[in-house]
Amino acid sequence: MSSGDGQQDGTGARPLSRPRMQDIADATGVTIKTVSRALSGAPNVRQSTRERVLAEAERLGFRRNDIAAGLRSTGQTMKTLGVVLGDLANPFFPPMLRGIHQVAARHGYLVISADAQGDSAVERESIQAILAQRVAGLIISPAGTDFGYLAQEAQFGSAIVFIDSAPLGLAADAVITTNTASTRNAVTHLIGRGHRRIGYVGHPPQGYGAPKRWLGYCQALRQAGITVDSDLVRRGLTTEDGAARAATELLSLDDPPTALFADNNRMTVGILQSPKYALHNPEVVGFDHFDLAPQLGISVVDSDPFRVGSAGAELLFRRLADRDQPPMQTTVRAKLIVHDQPTFAPVQPRRRRGGGQ
């Protein structure tokens, strides 16, 4: 276990017993059969009874096992992990999923994955649906910021690991990266190349990673005696188009930045789409690798999503082996990879062969 930008605290208390249908029946004064029918949506249950049963199930934190009946009839057990990732349209996430699959396969587990599509509401629905399958454990690379609704699941002993970001306000196992230190190193690299006007293009300053990357940017400038200039900062961006517009604004200033730091790969790609980028050719460093970075000469802070995913899966299996230990945290160090901008030799005209016409 190691610590990075933050440290999770926990009591290591033993998990609570998960509530049963019998508990709901006792609390509502109906039979287990009625509870089962109400929870499954069977039509032959009075509406007032159904509402009372559902309300009590919610209060107790009861979760139906949607596949239990089929497993009982065959005598099988489920060796399955659930994974919910922030946005599979982002090339950052597939390597992360491959890392999880590799470790899960080595332990003989299958993986059920869901795409949160960058939407916290979709993420919550996906998490609830996967937990309803009674998976052995759940790995989340969060899109949202509020995971208080999982506190009860943790009390029941559910094995849950967050990767790439630690959940705010929830003691849980997590794999994080060195957001602050690696951003500070990247901006210091730009300062060492002679840049003094370094712009910042970033996503919304919420959650875990974005504030820490912003902190690293500010620390690097201040350590070099450079004032953080709000005119060179564009934050709160969510799309590549927004980043492109922000880069155009920055590079249209009377005294434009000579370098730009982008706090994730989509911000970097957005910068490259700005028509002002080709005109001014600022040096760019972006957090997170993307495929064309070497060819385009864009330096990146590589947080190694494959390793983050595999470390998260390993942490989950450690939790499954010992549920009583306090929350654990693993740090995967992000490293700066410098790609100098390519230089192209002029194309020489081809000489004709032969002896003329």
Side-chain angles (χ1 to χ4, degrees), residues 5 177-188 191 198-223 226-237 250 260-264 267 287 301:
D5 292 325
T177 192
T178 48
N179 289 284
T180 301
S182 296
T183 299
R184 184 173 61 243
N185 183 41
V187 177
T188 298
I191 294 170
I198 303 172
Y200 187 97
V201 180
H203 60 297
Q206 60 190 22
Y208 185 83
K212 292 183 179 296
R213 295 174 192 181
W214 169 248
L215 175 61
Y217 168 83
C218 294
Q219 286 179 350
L221 293 182
R222 289 167 180 158
Q223 287 173 6
I226 301 172
T227 301
V228 178
D229 186 347
S230 60
D231 288 345
L232 300 182
V233 174
R234 298 293 186 276
R235 301 172 76 195
L237 308 169
L250 291 171
L260 295 170
F261 176 82
D263 77 349
N264 71 16
M267 300 298 102
F287 207 104
V301 178

Side-chain angles (χ1 to χ4, degrees), residues 7-283:
Q7 182 67 42
Q8 298 295 311
D9 297 320
T11 62
R14 289 185 176 276
L16 302 176
S17 297
R18 186 175 291 278
R20 306 162 300 160
M21 277 198 269
Q22 183 64 60
D23 299 319
I24 300 173
D26 292 342
T28 56
V30 300
T31 66
I32 290 181
K33 191 171 185 178
T34 300
V35 170
S36 179
R37 287 173 174 169
L39 293 174
S40 65
N44 55 343
V45 179
R46 188 176 300 170
Q47 183 61 26
S48 59
T49 300
R50 187 190 312 280
E51 291 174 357
R52 195 163 78 252
V53 168
L54 292 175
E56 187 62 21
E58 177 70 19
R59 187 187 73 80
L60 292 175
F62 176 83
R63 191 175 302 285
R64 289 185 65 232
N65 187 343
D66 291 346
I67 56 177
L71 293 178
R72 289 193 201 102
S73 65
T74 61
Q76 297 175 359
T77 57
M78 288 298 290
K79 295 183 68 175
T80 308
L81 302 181
V83 177
V84 180
L85 299 180
D87 185 359
L88 284 172
N90 187 330
F92 174 77
F93 289 104
M96 186 180 288
L97 185 58
R98 288 198 299 273
I100 295 169
H101 271 282
Q102 184 182 81
V103 175
R106 191 167 69 242
H107 287 265
Y109 279 70
L110 296 175
V111 175
I112 300 173
S113 62
D115 179 6
Q117 302 170 45
D119 187 320
S120 59
V122 173
E123 176 178 67
R124 181 166 182 164
E125 291 173 1
S126 299
I127 288 171
Q128 301 286 16
I130 286 180
L131 287 173
Q133 306 304 311
R134 295 289 179 87
V135 292
L138 177 63
I139 299 174
I140 303 168
S141 181
T145 57
D146 180 11
F147 293 94
Y149 61 92
L150 289 176
Q152 195 173 53
E153 281 295 326
Q155 288 180 317
F156 293 146
S158 294
I160 302 174
V161 173
F162 286 80
I163 56 175
D164 190 44
S165 296
L168 302 178
L170 178 67
D173 296 335
V175 177
I176 62 170
T177 192
T178 48
N179 289 284
T180 301
S182 296
T183 299
R184 184 173 61 243
N185 183 41
V187 177
T188 298
H189 163 77
L190 291 172
I191 294 170
R193 307 263 275 207
H195 299 286
R196 291 297 180 269
R197 291 182 63 76
I198 303 172
Y200 187 97
V201 180
H203 60 297
Q206 60 190 22
Y208 185 83
K212 292 183 179 296
R213 295 174 192 181
W214 169 248
L215 175 61
Y217 168 83
C218 294
Q219 286 179 350
L221 293 182
R222 289 167 180 158
Q223 287 173 6
I226 301 172
T227 301
V228 178
D229 186 347
S230 60
D231 288 345
L232 300 182
V233 174
R234 298 293 186 276
R235 301 172 76 195
L237 308 169
T238 58
T239 65
E240 294 173 7
D241 286 344
R245 288 192 295 271
T248 298
E249 291 175 7
L250 291 171
L251 297 173
S252 298
L253 295 172
D254 291 338
D255 188 7
T258 59
L260 295 170
F261 176 82
D263 77 349
N264 71 16
N265 54 353
R266 284 189 162 170
M267 300 298 102
T268 307
V269 172
I271 289 171
L272 300 181
Q273 293 173 350
S274 166
K276 292 285 187 177
Y277 170 76
L279 182 63
H280 289 263
N281 199 28
E283 186 167 1

Side-chain angles (χ1 to χ4, degrees), residues 1-9 162 165-167 172-176 208 315 318-319 326-332:
M1 179 177 73
S2 61
S3 61
D5 292 325
Q7 182 67 42
Q8 298 295 311
D9 297 320
F162 286 80
S165 296
D173 296 335
V175 177
I176 62 170
Y208 185 83
L315 196 56
R318 285 170 59 189
R319 172 59 59 196
M328 301 174 287
Q329 190 171 91
T330 298
T331 300
V332 173

